[in-house]
Each structure stands twice: as C-alpha cells, then as structure tokens.
Amino acid sequence: MSTPTIDPEDREPATIAPTDSYQTAAPVWVYRAGTWREGIVEAANARAATVTYRIGHGSRGTGVDTMTARYVLPRADAAARRD
C-alpha cells in the first residue's frame, strides 16, 4: 500500500474511524512531522491511540506517541502485524 497523501486537516470528520475501533497490533499510518509514517497500535481507547511508528524511511529508529483519530489511518499490510 502506498503512503497516504491526504492532509489530516482535510479529512472529512464523518469518514474518520474512532481510535477505539483499532485493535492492538493493528497496522496503521500515523501523521507526524508533516508526513504519514508506518505504525502499529499499542493501545487505544475512545479518545486516542498509542502507536509505535518508524521515525523515517530507511531509519531503524522508532517513536511512540499518543494521537487522536484525525492523525491515524488503517494500513492494509498483513505483514506488519506482530502475531
């Protein structure tokens, strides 16, 4: 799946999945520092999701952050799951 190109501020609110709809270990895209990054959900509730994500392309580093639904998108990448 290719990296999303939509700006989170331009997302239609009715199309944004609530953060508590994401399960632990679900592959997602997270918007940080002006770009969408690959991530994995660590935990989620009705207000926010905690996600571990790759800092940048080609980087081995990761970040962990808690974000609201506007900055999270599902990622169709079965290989990303930590089963």
Side-chain angles (χ1 to χ4, degrees):
M1 177 177 216
S2 62
T3 304
T5 58
I6 189 166
D7 185 309
E9 300 304 322
D10 293 337
R11 292 178 69 192
E12 179 63 41
T15 66
I16 298 172
T19 50
D20 60 358
S21 69
Y22 294 102
Q23 304 226 351
T24 300
V28 293
W29 291 103
V30 298
Y31 193 81
R32 280 293 175 252
T35 190
W36 289 98
R37 302 166 188 279
E38 296 177 2
I40 300 290
V41 174
E42 299 295 336
N45 62 34
R47 296 183 64 161
T50 300
V51 179
T52 298
Y53 60 93
R54 291 186 183 163
I55 299 288
H57 297 293
S59 172
R60 290 191 236 178
T62 58
V64 178
D65 210 343
T66 301
M67 57 206 66
T68 59
R70 180 175 296 277
Y71 302 98
V72 181
L73 282 171
R75 181 167 50 100
D77 182 358
R81 292 189 178 270
R82 292 185 283 167
D83 294 333

